[in-house]
Amino acid sequence: MIIQSTKIRIVVDILLFIAMFISPWWLLFATSILCAFAFRKFYEIIFIGFFFDLMYINSGSFLHSHFFLFYALITFVIIQILQKRLTFYTRMR
C-alpha cells in the first residue's frame, strides 16, 4: 500500500528524525526501509543516512566515513526498482 498523504509523511519524517537520536542504527534503517516501501519516492532515507553519518563520523576513508549514506542510496535505488517490478505496486498507480 502506497501512502500518499503529505501530513502522514511529515509526521513519519519527524518520528524518524527523533528516532535517529534514541534508537539503535538497525532499528532506524529497518523502519526506514519499511517507510520506503510504504511511500512513493521516499527521498528522506538518503537524508537520514547522511545525518546519521554526520552524527557518527569517524576519520577514515571516504567510503568508511559515509557508510550509512551509501547504504541509504543503494537501498533507495533497489526499492525504486522493486516498486516498478512488483505487481501490487503497479496496480496502485
Side-chain angles (χ1 to χ4, degrees):
M1 179 173 130
I2 297 177
I3 303 171
Q4 297 190 10
S5 175
T6 305
K7 292 178 185 178
I8 295 174
R9 191 167 180 154
I10 290 171
V11 169
V12 168
D13 291 341
I14 292 169
L15 290 175
L16 283 175
F17 186 75
I18 292 170
M20 202 167 37
F21 297 104
I22 60 175
S23 68
W25 67 269
W26 53 268
L27 183 63
L28 177 69
F29 283 105
T31 308
S32 298
I33 289 171
L34 290 175
C35 290
F37 274 111
F39 294 101
R40 187 180 309 257
K41 296 195 188 259
F42 192 68
Y43 294 113
E44 292 89 337
I45 194 170
I46 298 168
F47 295 113
I48 290 169
F50 177 71
F51 287 127
F52 206 79
D53 278 334
L54 287 179
M55 285 180 14
Y56 299 108
I57 195 165
N58 58 6
S59 59
S61 68
F62 183 77
L63 181 61
H64 288 98
S65 62
H66 296 290
F67 172 76
F68 292 109
L69 177 63
F70 288 126
Y71 177 75
L73 283 169
I74 291 169
T75 304
F76 178 77
V77 170
I78 290 171
I79 289 174
Q80 293 304 310
I81 292 170
L82 285 176
Q83 283 182 346
K84 289 179 183 175
R85 294 185 184 223
L86 292 174
T87 57
F88 58 87
Y89 279 107
T90 56
R91 285 184 287 182
M92 289 183 192
R93 290 184 180 195

